Amino acid sequence: MGTRYKIKICGIKDLATLELCVDLQVDFVGFNFSPRSPRAITAETAENLLKIRKKSGFPKLVFLFFENEITEIKKLTERFQPDLIQLIRGDELISPEIWDEFTETKKLLPAIRIQTKVTSDEDLEPKSSLVILDSYQKNLGGGTGHTFPWEYVTSVKRPFLLAGGITPENVKTALETVHPYGIDVASGVETDGKKDPNKIITLVQNVRTL
């Protein structure tokens, strides 16, 4: 099917990984600013990484926030102008006004942590054009490496990125089971907590050969 399924690699911290993602023509790259995450980067790191943003074929840039102060979110998004802003449903620091503001600018990419079967798309709030469906782990915003029962989301019609424990080994099964718009991977392409180029290459190849 070629590039039918979209690929998002999240939690990028180093230039070599970002360059690999550009070369492989993944669709989205995620920078994590959450103080809760081992993948969190600083504004200085983001600035260094984005020196290659003008490179041909640079993926859509996603900034992930979880339990960040509103002022920090606004400062970083205004400074770097990411294509999408990933917010985690259930983040108590995020006010409804912030959700509305990013929804209006068409930049919101909400991550919804799935705990029960989704019987209707109406259950998935907010109404953005694309969402992430992830596993739920208390006090964590994602990137835990845990899957959730994929049958919970097989009836979802709207475009979504499937997240939560996706690896090069299980990605084909995940895609054939759920048929999402794409996948969102962080820990599944890491070895000892660092992005593993071989795993990224294998994952991309496995997706693209479906």
Side-chain angles (χ1 to χ4, degrees):
M1 300 296 289
T3 54
R4 176 188 156 196
Y5 293 110
K6 304 297 183 185
I7 300 170
K8 175 172 175 271
I9 305 293
C10 197
I12 293 171
K13 299 174 70 173
D14 65 279
L15 197 54
T17 299
L18 184 59
E19 287 176 327
L20 177 62
C21 288
V22 176
D23 292 342
L24 291 172
Q25 297 184 306
V26 305
D27 304 280
F28 304 89
V29 287
F31 290 4
N32 191 326
F33 294 94
S34 170
R36 286 269 190 188
S37 175
R39 299 177 190 88
I41 62 170
T42 62
E44 290 68 36
T45 299
E47 184 171 33
N48 183 51
L49 293 175
L50 291 175
K51 286 175 182 172
I52 67 164
R53 194 176 187 181
K54 289 188 166 60
K55 235 179 146 177
S56 175
F58 192 89
K60 285 196 172 180
L61 179 64
V62 182
F63 278 12
L64 183 157
F65 299 104
F66 179 64
E67 297 193 354
N68 295 80
E69 295 294 338
I70 300 300
T71 51
E72 181 185 17
I73 294 173
K74 293 203 166 190
K75 185 190 266 185
L76 286 167
T77 54
E78 284 167 13
R79 178 174 172 183
F80 295 110
Q81 295 296 312
D83 298 293
L84 294 165
I85 293 111
Q86 181 177 335
L87 303 179
I88 315 296
R89 202 69 181 144
D91 185 344
E92 293 175 358
L93 294 183
I94 306 294
S95 65
E97 291 76 25
I98 293 294
W99 287 92
D100 291 344
E101 181 180 324
F102 288 138
T103 300
E104 284 171 19
T105 60
K106 308 258 190 283
K107 284 195 168 193
L108 180 64
L109 178 59
I112 302 167
R113 297 175 293 175
I114 303 297
Q115 293 178 268
T116 57
K117 185 171 178 60
V118 180
T119 55
S120 163
D121 279 34
E122 297 304 310
D123 297 338
L124 300 177
E125 292 286 348
K127 298 287 184 267
S128 60
S129 58
L130 180 65
V131 297
I132 294 170
L133 302 184
D134 200 353
S135 57
Y136 177 83
Q137 295 288 310
K138 190 175 181 184
N139 298 324
L140 295 170
T144 64
H146 292 87
T147 59
F148 64 89
W150 292 327
E151 62 269 20
Y152 282 0
V153 297
T154 49
S155 60
V156 175
K157 301 288 189 293
R158 67 190 289 193
F160 68 91
L161 299 178
L162 181 68
I166 304 292
T167 67
E169 292 73 34
N170 70 11
V171 68
K172 283 192 175 186
T173 304
L175 293 173
E176 288 167 345
T177 302
V178 182
H179 302 292
Y181 178 72
I183 53 157
D184 182 4
V185 186
S187 63
V189 288
E190 292 177 350
T191 299
D192 298 326
K194 292 184 178 178
K195 290 291 184 287
D196 183 325
N198 292 323
K199 287 185 178 179
I200 294 173
I201 291 166
T202 303
L203 177 107
V204 171
Q205 287 174 338
N206 287 347
V207 172
R208 298 251 165 94
T209 52
L210 274 175

Short mmCIF file of all heavy atoms in Angstrom, two decimals, residues 125-169:
data_model
loop_
_atom_site.label_atom_id
_atom_site.label_comp_id
_atom_site.label_asym_id
_atom_site.label_seq_id
_atom_site.Cartn_x
_atom_site.Cartn_y
_atom_site.Cartn_z
N GLU A 125 -13.65 13.24 22.61
CA GLU A 125 -13.57 14.70 22.64
C GLU A 125 -12.11 15.09 22.80
O GLU A 125 -11.34 14.38 23.43
CB GLU A 125 -14.38 15.24 23.83
CG GLU A 125 -15.88 15.04 23.71
CD GLU A 125 -16.52 15.98 22.70
OE1 GLU A 125 -15.84 16.93 22.26
OE2 GLU A 125 -17.67 15.76 22.36
N PRO A 126 -11.68 16.23 22.27
CA PRO A 126 -12.44 17.21 21.51
C PRO A 126 -12.50 16.86 20.02
O PRO A 126 -11.88 15.91 19.58
CB PRO A 126 -11.65 18.49 21.75
CG PRO A 126 -10.25 18.04 21.90
CD PRO A 126 -10.32 16.69 22.56
N LYS A 127 -13.23 17.69 19.29
CA LYS A 127 -13.47 17.41 17.87
C LYS A 127 -12.39 18.06 17.00
O LYS A 127 -12.63 19.05 16.34
CB LYS A 127 -14.84 17.96 17.47
CG LYS A 127 -15.98 17.29 18.21
CD LYS A 127 -16.20 15.87 17.70
CE LYS A 127 -17.39 15.21 18.35
NZ LYS A 127 -17.06 14.41 19.52
N SER A 128 -11.22 17.49 16.99
CA SER A 128 -10.18 17.97 16.09
C SER A 128 -10.11 17.03 14.88
O SER A 128 -10.70 15.95 14.90
CB SER A 128 -8.83 18.02 16.80
OG SER A 128 -8.50 16.73 17.24
N SER A 129 -9.39 17.45 13.84
CA SER A 129 -9.38 16.66 12.62
C SER A 129 -8.59 15.37 12.76
O SER A 129 -8.78 14.43 11.99
CB SER A 129 -8.82 17.50 11.47
OG SER A 129 -7.52 17.94 11.78
N LEU A 130 -7.70 15.30 13.74
CA LEU A 130 -6.90 14.11 13.98
C LEU A 130 -6.68 13.96 15.48
O LEU A 130 -6.48 14.96 16.18
CB LEU A 130 -5.54 14.24 13.26
CG LEU A 130 -4.56 13.08 13.39
CD1 LEU A 130 -5.10 11.82 12.73
CD2 LEU A 130 -3.20 13.46 12.76
N VAL A 131 -6.74 12.73 15.97
CA VAL A 131 -6.50 12.48 17.39
C VAL A 131 -5.49 11.33 17.54
O VAL A 131 -5.23 10.58 16.59
CB VAL A 131 -7.78 12.11 18.18
CG1 VAL A 131 -8.78 13.25 18.16
CG2 VAL A 131 -8.41 10.83 17.64
N ILE A 132 -4.91 11.23 18.73
CA ILE A 132 -4.07 10.09 19.09
C ILE A 132 -4.84 9.26 20.10
O ILE A 132 -5.39 9.80 21.05
CB ILE A 132 -2.74 10.57 19.70
CG1 ILE A 132 -1.90 11.31 18.65
CG2 ILE A 132 -1.94 9.38 20.27
CD1 ILE A 132 -0.68 12.01 19.23
N LEU A 133 -4.89 7.97 19.88
CA LEU A 133 -5.51 7.06 20.84
C LEU A 133 -4.40 6.25 21.47
O LEU A 133 -3.69 5.48 20.80
CB LEU A 133 -6.54 6.16 20.15
CG LEU A 133 -7.67 6.90 19.42
CD1 LEU A 133 -8.69 5.90 18.85
CD2 LEU A 133 -8.37 7.90 20.33
N ASP A 134 -4.24 6.41 22.78
CA ASP A 134 -3.09 5.87 23.50
C ASP A 134 -3.54 5.03 24.68
O ASP A 134 -4.70 5.09 25.10
CB ASP A 134 -2.21 7.04 23.98
CG ASP A 134 -0.78 6.65 24.31
OD1 ASP A 134 -0.46 5.44 24.30
OD2 ASP A 134 0.02 7.56 24.59
N SER A 135 -2.61 4.28 25.25
CA SER A 135 -2.91 3.52 26.46
C SER A 135 -2.90 4.45 27.67
O SER A 135 -2.31 5.53 27.63
CB SER A 135 -1.88 2.40 26.65
OG SER A 135 -0.57 2.94 26.71
N TYR A 136 -3.56 4.02 28.73
CA TYR A 136 -3.65 4.84 29.94
C TYR A 136 -2.72 4.29 31.01
O TYR A 136 -2.77 3.11 31.34
CB TYR A 136 -5.08 4.86 30.47
CG TYR A 136 -5.21 5.64 31.77
CD1 TYR A 136 -5.35 7.02 31.75
CD2 TYR A 136 -5.16 5.00 33.01
CE1 TYR A 136 -5.45 7.75 32.93
CE2 TYR A 136 -5.26 5.72 34.19
CZ TYR A 136 -5.40 7.10 34.14
OH TYR A 136 -5.48 7.81 35.31
N GLN A 137 -1.86 5.16 31.51
CA GLN A 137 -1.05 4.84 32.69
C GLN A 137 -1.15 6.05 33.62
O GLN A 137 -0.86 7.17 33.20
CB GLN A 137 0.41 4.59 32.30
CG GLN A 137 0.62 3.37 31.43
CD GLN A 137 0.44 2.08 32.19
OE1 GLN A 137 1.01 1.88 33.26
NE2 GLN A 137 -0.37 1.17 31.65
N LYS A 138 -1.54 5.81 34.83
CA LYS A 138 -1.77 6.92 35.77
C LYS A 138 -0.53 7.80 35.91
O LYS A 138 0.59 7.31 36.03
CB LYS A 138 -2.15 6.36 37.14
CG LYS A 138 -2.63 7.44 38.09
CD LYS A 138 -3.12 6.87 39.41
CE LYS A 138 -3.62 7.99 40.30
NZ LYS A 138 -4.02 7.52 41.62
N ASN A 139 -0.76 9.12 35.86
CA ASN A 139 0.26 10.15 36.04
C ASN A 139 1.28 10.22 34.90
O ASN A 139 2.28 10.92 35.01
CB ASN A 139 1.02 9.97 37.37
CG ASN A 139 0.11 10.10 38.56
OD1 ASN A 139 -0.82 10.89 38.55
ND2 ASN A 139 0.36 9.31 39.59
N LEU A 140 1.03 9.51 33.82
CA LEU A 140 1.93 9.57 32.68
C LEU A 140 1.15 9.98 31.44
O LEU A 140 0.01 9.57 31.25
CB LEU A 140 2.61 8.22 32.45
CG LEU A 140 3.56 7.76 33.57
CD1 LEU A 140 3.98 6.32 33.36
CD2 LEU A 140 4.79 8.66 33.65
N GLY A 141 1.79 10.78 30.60
CA GLY A 141 1.10 11.30 29.42
C GLY A 141 1.32 10.50 28.16
O GLY A 141 0.89 10.89 27.10
N GLY A 142 1.98 9.35 28.26
CA GLY A 142 2.24 8.54 27.08
C GLY A 142 3.68 8.09 27.06
O GLY A 142 4.47 8.39 27.95
N GLY A 143 4.03 7.33 26.03
CA GLY A 143 5.40 6.87 25.89
C GLY A 143 5.79 5.81 26.90
O GLY A 143 6.97 5.63 27.20
N THR A 144 4.81 5.08 27.41
CA THR A 144 5.09 4.11 28.47
C THR A 144 5.45 2.73 27.92
O THR A 144 5.94 1.88 28.66
CB THR A 144 3.86 3.93 29.38
OG1 THR A 144 2.78 3.38 28.61
CG2 THR A 144 3.44 5.26 29.98
N GLY A 145 5.18 2.50 26.65
CA GLY A 145 5.46 1.19 26.07
C GLY A 145 4.36 0.17 26.31
O GLY A 145 4.50 -0.99 25.95
N HIS A 146 3.25 0.59 26.92
CA HIS A 146 2.14 -0.32 27.19
C HIS A 146 1.09 -0.22 26.08
O HIS A 146 0.71 0.88 25.68
CB HIS A 146 1.47 0.02 28.53
CG HIS A 146 2.34 -0.28 29.71
ND1 HIS A 146 3.26 0.62 30.19
CD2 HIS A 146 2.45 -1.39 30.49
CE1 HIS A 146 3.89 0.09 31.24
NE2 HIS A 146 3.42 -1.12 31.43
N THR A 147 0.62 -1.37 25.62
CA THR A 147 -0.48 -1.37 24.66
C THR A 147 -1.81 -1.36 25.41
O THR A 147 -1.85 -1.54 26.63
CB THR A 147 -0.44 -2.63 23.77
OG1 THR A 147 -0.52 -3.78 24.60
CG2 THR A 147 0.82 -2.68 22.93
N PHE A 148 -2.88 -1.13 24.68
CA PHE A 148 -4.22 -1.32 25.23
C PHE A 148 -4.93 -2.28 24.28
O PHE A 148 -4.46 -2.52 23.16
CB PHE A 148 -4.97 0.01 25.37
CG PHE A 148 -5.25 0.72 24.08
CD1 PHE A 148 -6.42 0.46 23.36
CD2 PHE A 148 -4.36 1.65 23.55
CE1 PHE A 148 -6.69 1.10 22.16
CE2 PHE A 148 -4.61 2.29 22.34
CZ PHE A 148 -5.78 2.02 21.65
N PRO A 149 -6.05 -2.88 24.69
CA PRO A 149 -6.74 -3.81 23.81
C PRO A 149 -7.21 -3.11 22.53
O PRO A 149 -8.08 -2.24 22.59
CB PRO A 149 -7.92 -4.29 24.66
CG PRO A 149 -7.50 -4.05 26.07
CD PRO A 149 -6.69 -2.80 26.03
N TRP A 150 -6.63 -3.49 21.41
CA TRP A 150 -6.92 -2.77 20.16
C TRP A 150 -8.38 -2.89 19.75
O TRP A 150 -8.90 -2.03 19.04
CB TRP A 150 -6.00 -3.28 19.05
CG TRP A 150 -4.57 -2.90 19.27
CD1 TRP A 150 -4.10 -1.76 19.86
CD2 TRP A 150 -3.40 -3.66 18.92
NE1 TRP A 150 -2.73 -1.76 19.90
CE2 TRP A 150 -2.28 -2.91 19.32
CE3 TRP A 150 -3.21 -4.89 18.30
CZ2 TRP A 150 -0.96 -3.36 19.13
CZ3 TRP A 150 -1.91 -5.34 18.09
CH2 TRP A 150 -0.80 -4.59 18.51
N GLU A 151 -9.05 -3.95 20.20
CA GLU A 151 -10.47 -4.08 19.84
C GLU A 151 -11.32 -2.96 20.44
O GLU A 151 -12.44 -2.73 20.00
CB GLU A 151 -11.02 -5.45 20.27
CG GLU A 151 -11.00 -5.73 21.76
CD GLU A 151 -9.73 -6.43 22.22
OE1 GLU A 151 -8.71 -6.37 21.53
OE2 GLU A 151 -9.76 -7.01 23.33
N TYR A 152 -10.77 -2.24 21.42
CA TYR A 152 -11.48 -1.10 22.00
C TYR A 152 -11.75 -0.01 20.96
O TYR A 152 -12.67 0.80 21.14
CB TYR A 152 -10.68 -0.48 23.15
CG TYR A 152 -10.74 -1.22 24.47
CD1 TYR A 152 -11.47 -2.39 24.63
CD2 TYR A 152 -10.05 -0.71 25.58
CE1 TYR A 152 -11.51 -3.05 25.85
CE2 TYR A 152 -10.10 -1.37 26.81
CZ TYR A 152 -10.82 -2.54 26.93
OH TYR A 152 -10.85 -3.19 28.15
N VAL A 153 -10.94 0.08 19.91
CA VAL A 153 -11.05 1.21 18.99
C VAL A 153 -11.32 0.78 17.54
O VAL A 153 -11.21 1.60 16.62
CB VAL A 153 -9.79 2.11 19.04
CG1 VAL A 153 -9.63 2.72 20.43
CG2 VAL A 153 -8.53 1.34 18.66
N THR A 154 -11.68 -0.47 17.33
CA THR A 154 -11.88 -0.95 15.96
C THR A 154 -13.09 -0.31 15.28
O THR A 154 -13.19 -0.32 14.05
CB THR A 154 -12.03 -2.48 15.92
OG1 THR A 154 -12.99 -2.87 16.90
CG2 THR A 154 -10.71 -3.17 16.20
N SER A 155 -13.99 0.27 16.05
CA SER A 155 -15.18 0.90 15.44
C SER A 155 -15.03 2.41 15.25
O SER A 155 -15.94 3.07 14.77
CB SER A 155 -16.42 0.61 16.29
OG SER A 155 -16.26 1.14 17.59
N VAL A 156 -13.86 2.95 15.62
CA VAL A 156 -13.64 4.40 15.47
C VAL A 156 -13.49 4.74 13.99
O VAL A 156 -12.72 4.12 13.26
CB VAL A 156 -12.38 4.86 16.24
CG1 VAL A 156 -12.09 6.34 15.97
CG2 VAL A 156 -12.56 4.62 17.74
N LYS A 157 -14.26 5.74 13.54
CA LYS A 157 -14.27 6.11 12.12
C LYS A 157 -13.36 7.30 11.82
O LYS A 157 -12.82 7.41 10.73
CB LYS A 157 -15.70 6.47 11.69
CG LYS A 157 -16.72 5.35 11.86
CD LYS A 157 -16.49 4.25 10.82
CE LYS A 157 -17.63 3.23 10.83
NZ LYS A 157 -17.70 2.44 12.05
N ARG A 158 -13.22 8.21 12.75
CA ARG A 158 -12.45 9.42 12.49
C ARG A 158 -10.96 9.10 12.40
O ARG A 158 -10.49 8.08 12.93
CB ARG A 158 -12.72 10.47 13.56
CG ARG A 158 -12.20 10.08 14.93
CD ARG A 158 -12.70 11.01 16.01
NE ARG A 158 -12.08 12.33 15.91
CZ ARG A 158 -12.16 13.24 16.89
NH1 ARG A 158 -12.86 12.97 17.97
NH2 ARG A 158 -11.59 14.40 16.76
N PRO A 159 -10.17 9.94 11.73
CA PRO A 159 -8.74 9.68 11.60
C PRO A 159 -8.05 9.73 12.96
O PRO A 159 -8.24 10.66 13.74
CB PRO A 159 -8.24 10.82 10.70
CG PRO A 159 -9.45 11.36 10.03
CD PRO A 159 -10.58 11.16 10.99
N PHE A 160 -7.25 8.71 13.23
CA PHE A 160 -6.48 8.70 14.48
C PHE A 160 -5.14 8.01 14.28
O PHE A 160 -4.97 7.16 13.40
CB PHE A 160 -7.27 8.04 15.62
CG PHE A 160 -7.50 6.55 15.47
CD1 PHE A 160 -6.60 5.63 15.99
CD2 PHE A 160 -8.63 6.07 14.83
CE1 PHE A 160 -6.81 4.27 15.86
CE2 PHE A 160 -8.87 4.71 14.70
CZ PHE A 160 -7.95 3.80 15.21
N LEU A 161 -4.19 8.41 15.13
CA LEU A 161 -2.91 7.74 15.21
C LEU A 161 -2.98 6.76 16.37
O LEU A 161 -3.31 7.15 17.49
CB LEU A 161 -1.78 8.74 15.43
CG LEU A 161 -1.56 9.81 14.36
CD1 LEU A 161 -0.43 10.76 14.77
CD2 LEU A 161 -1.26 9.19 13.01
N LEU A 162 -2.66 5.52 16.12
CA LEU A 162 -2.65 4.51 17.18
C LEU A 162 -1.32 4.57 17.91
O LEU A 162 -0.26 4.50 17.31
CB LEU A 162 -2.86 3.12 16.57
CG LEU A 162 -2.90 1.96 17.57
CD1 LEU A 162 -4.15 2.04 18.45
CD2 LEU A 162 -2.84 0.62 16.83
N ALA A 163 -1.40 4.70 19.23
CA ALA A 163 -0.19 4.78 20.06
C ALA A 163 -0.28 3.76 21.19
O ALA A 163 -1.32 3.14 21.42
CB ALA A 163 -0.06 6.20 20.63
N GLY A 164 0.82 3.62 21.90
CA GLY A 164 0.82 2.73 23.06
C GLY A 164 1.43 1.38 22.75
O GLY A 164 0.75 0.46 22.30
N GLY A 165 2.74 1.26 22.96
CA GLY A 165 3.39 -0.03 22.83
C GLY A 165 3.56 -0.54 21.41
O GLY A 165 3.74 -1.74 21.20
N ILE A 166 3.52 0.35 20.42
CA ILE A 166 3.75 -0.08 19.04
C ILE A 166 5.25 -0.30 18.84
O ILE A 166 6.07 0.56 19.19
CB ILE A 166 3.25 0.98 18.04
CG1 ILE A 166 1.78 1.31 18.28
CG2 ILE A 166 3.48 0.52 16.61
CD1 ILE A 166 0.82 0.19 17.96
N THR A 167 5.61 -1.44 18.26
CA THR A 167 7.01 -1.79 18.01
C THR A 167 7.18 -2.26 16.57
O THR A 167 6.18 -2.54 15.89
CB THR A 167 7.46 -2.93 18.94
OG1 THR A 167 6.73 -4.13 18.56
CG2 THR A 167 7.19 -2.62 20.42
N PRO A 168 8.42 -2.39 16.10
CA PRO A 168 8.61 -2.96 14.76
C PRO A 168 8.00 -4.35 14.64
O PRO A 168 7.54 -4.73 13.56
CB PRO A 168 10.14 -3.00 14.61
CG PRO A 168 10.65 -1.93 15.53
CD PRO A 168 9.70 -1.92 16.68
N GLU A 169 7.99 -5.09 15.74
CA GLU A 169 7.50 -6.47 15.71
C GLU A 169 5.98 -6.57 15.63
O GLU A 169 5.44 -7.48 14.99
CB GLU A 169 7.99 -7.24 16.95
CG GLU A 169 9.48 -7.50 16.99
CD GLU A 169 10.30 -6.26 17.30
OE1 GLU A 169 9.83 -5.39 18.07
OE2 GLU A 169 11.41 -6.14 16.75
#
